[in-house]
């Protein structure tokens, strides 16, 4: 069994996003040459864009995927009258805004927010993702009331991915001046994180990662050498046609494979 099931497999689902990697993992030896260690690391430490749930970008990508096809990204800016002087003022403004959102909706809802203040004109602003079925853009604008509100779909075009936003939100590190050292740059609601399914682990005799036909977008990465192999694939399932039953649609999609 150990010989047959050589592939270590990891799969993570989040909304319509599926990420999976399969690998034959080499082992380090005290007698390895520098070249051997470098080659083994190509299998054990693949590029950051090829991993299931390792980096901050990976973790944010998965939580964004939980919004499925009805996530909207908002950029909340401050006008001169409400412009905060320091990070703590921005956080207070966010908490007051969150209170208004909760009071207006009167039921739990998912969100992820990020406070930024370095790029562009170096003015503080807040990025926020909300579900369209929870809030409309007009509601967000009315409830914000401290400046401008821009909105755009979480998935902007046909081949877009959640990773695009995840990378963008992780581009700005804490600097100790505008953003204090040690604070969490992006923060998801507890209700959202609880919806993330557990990671699946198993051993397999095959390294093939099947990608269903008709997916919205997908990507693959493979590498191999004399010490092992690493295969990674991700895909975003196609949305069910409007007015159709999603369960039936997904069942038909997999039956076509």
């Amino acid at each position: 069994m150990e010989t047959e099931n050589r592939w270590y497999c990891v799969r993570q689902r989040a909304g319509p996003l599926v990420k999976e990697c399969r690998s034959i993992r080499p082992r380090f030896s005290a007698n390895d040459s520098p070249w051997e260690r470098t080659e083994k690391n190509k299998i054990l430490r693949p590029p950051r864009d090829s991993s299931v749930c390792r980096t901050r970008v990976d973790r944010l990508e998965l939580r964004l995927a939980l919004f499925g096809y009805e996530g909207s990204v908002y950029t909340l800016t401050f006008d001169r009258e409400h412009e905060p002087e320091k990070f703590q003022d921005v956080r207070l403004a966010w908490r007051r805004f969150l209170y208004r959102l909760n009071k207006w909706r009167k039921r739990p809802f998912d969100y992820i927010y990020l406070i930024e203040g370095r790029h562009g004109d170096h003015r503080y602003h807040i990025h926020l993702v909300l579900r369209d079925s929870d809030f409309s853009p007009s509601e967000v604008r009315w409830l914000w009331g401290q400046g401008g509100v821009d909105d755009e779909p979480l998935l902007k075009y046909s081949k877009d991915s959640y990773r695009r936003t995840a990378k963008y939100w992780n581009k700005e590190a804490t600097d100790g001046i505008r953003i204090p050292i040690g604070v969490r740059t992006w923060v998801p609601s507890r209700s959202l994180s609880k919806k993330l399914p557990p990671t699946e682990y198993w051993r397999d005799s095959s390294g093939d990662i099947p990608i269903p036909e008709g997916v919205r977008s997908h990507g693959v990465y493979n590498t191999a050498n004399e010490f092992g192999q690493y295969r990674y694939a991700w895909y975003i399932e196609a949305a069910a046609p409007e007015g159709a039953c999603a369960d039936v649609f997904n069942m038909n999609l997999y039956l076509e494979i």
Side-chain angles (χ1 to χ4, degrees):
M1 179 66 69
E2 181 70 22
T3 302
E4 293 179 356
N5 294 341
R6 298 186 305 156
W7 291 88
Y8 291 86
C9 307
V10 182
R11 180 190 295 135
Q12 179 68 62
R13 301 179 185 272
L17 173 66
V18 180
K19 303 179 69 179
E20 183 175 327
C21 67
R22 302 191 181 200
S23 61
I24 299 177
R25 300 169 61 85
R27 295 182 179 180
F28 288 119
S29 168
N31 298 320
D32 285 345
S33 66
W35 176 82
E36 289 173 325
R37 297 188 70 86
T38 298
E39 290 299 298
K40 289 181 179 181
N41 275 326
K42 291 179 181 179
I43 307 300
L44 295 171
R45 300 176 182 177
R48 289 192 174 185
D49 283 5
S50 300
S51 53
V52 172
C53 187
R54 185 178 62 176
T55 67
R56 287 184 58 82
V57 173
D58 297 325
R59 293 191 289 274
L60 178 55
E61 176 189 28
L62 293 172
R63 283 154 180 80
L64 291 171
L66 292 173
F67 287 92
Y69 299 101
E70 57 167 349
S72 286
V73 183
Y74 295 91
T75 301
L76 314 175
T77 57
F78 296 90
D79 55 29
R80 294 299 180 182
E81 180 181 354
H82 298 90
E83 188 171 3
E85 295 183 1
K86 54 185 183 295
F87 178 82
Q88 289 74 12
D89 296 333
V90 189
R91 179 172 280 176
L92 179 60
W94 159 252
R95 289 172 178 168
R96 289 173 175 171
F97 177 54
L98 181 60
Y99 172 80
R100 292 194 293 274
L101 291 173
N102 278 295
K103 189 175 181 180
W104 178 261
R105 188 48 52 218
K106 297 180 181 179
R107 60 173 170 78
F109 59 88
D110 299 327
Y111 64 83
I112 306 178
Y113 80 93
L114 164 72
I115 297 176
E116 285 191 325
R118 289 181 61 188
H119 67 281
D121 57 5
H122 291 261
R123 296 176 63 185
Y124 284 114
H125 55 279
I126 300 173
H127 294 297
L128 172 66
V129 177
L130 293 170
R131 206 178 300 278
D132 296 336
S133 57
D134 290 327
F135 295 95
S136 68
S138 60
E139 288 176 308
V140 174
R141 287 183 172 83
W142 183 73
L143 291 167
W144 173 239
Q146 301 179 74
V149 175
D150 293 327
D151 67 278
E152 63 181 25
L154 180 56
L155 295 176
K156 295 177 63 175
Y157 42 89
S158 60
K159 298 299 181 182
D160 198 6
S161 70
Y162 303 103
R163 198 168 187 86
R164 174 185 59 81
T165 298
K167 284 183 174 181
Y168 181 80
W169 279 30
N170 280 283
K171 72 182 185 308
E172 183 173 301
T174 57
D175 62 352
I177 302 175
R178 300 290 288 176
I179 307 294
I181 297 294
V183 302
R184 291 187 294 170
T185 51
W186 52 266
V187 182
S189 62
R190 291 182 180 178
S191 62
L192 182 68
S193 293
K194 289 180 179 179
K195 293 177 181 176
L196 186 65
T199 306
E200 305 168 42
Y201 300 92
W202 76 99
R203 299 284 291 272
D204 206 304
S205 59
S206 172
D208 293 336
I209 304 176
I211 298 179
E213 294 183 7
V215 296
R216 177 189 175 102
S217 56
H218 71 280
V220 297
Y221 172 83
N222 300 316
T223 187
N225 55 37
E226 60 185 283
F227 300 105
Q229 299 184 57
Y230 177 86
R231 298 180 181 180
Y232 167 77
W234 66 268
Y235 59 88
I236 298 177
E237 297 168 338
E242 188 174 350
C245 174
D247 291 337
V248 173
F249 174 74
N250 289 332
M251 182 181 296
N252 290 338
L253 178 64
Y254 281 99
L255 289 175
E256 292 174 2
I257 300 173

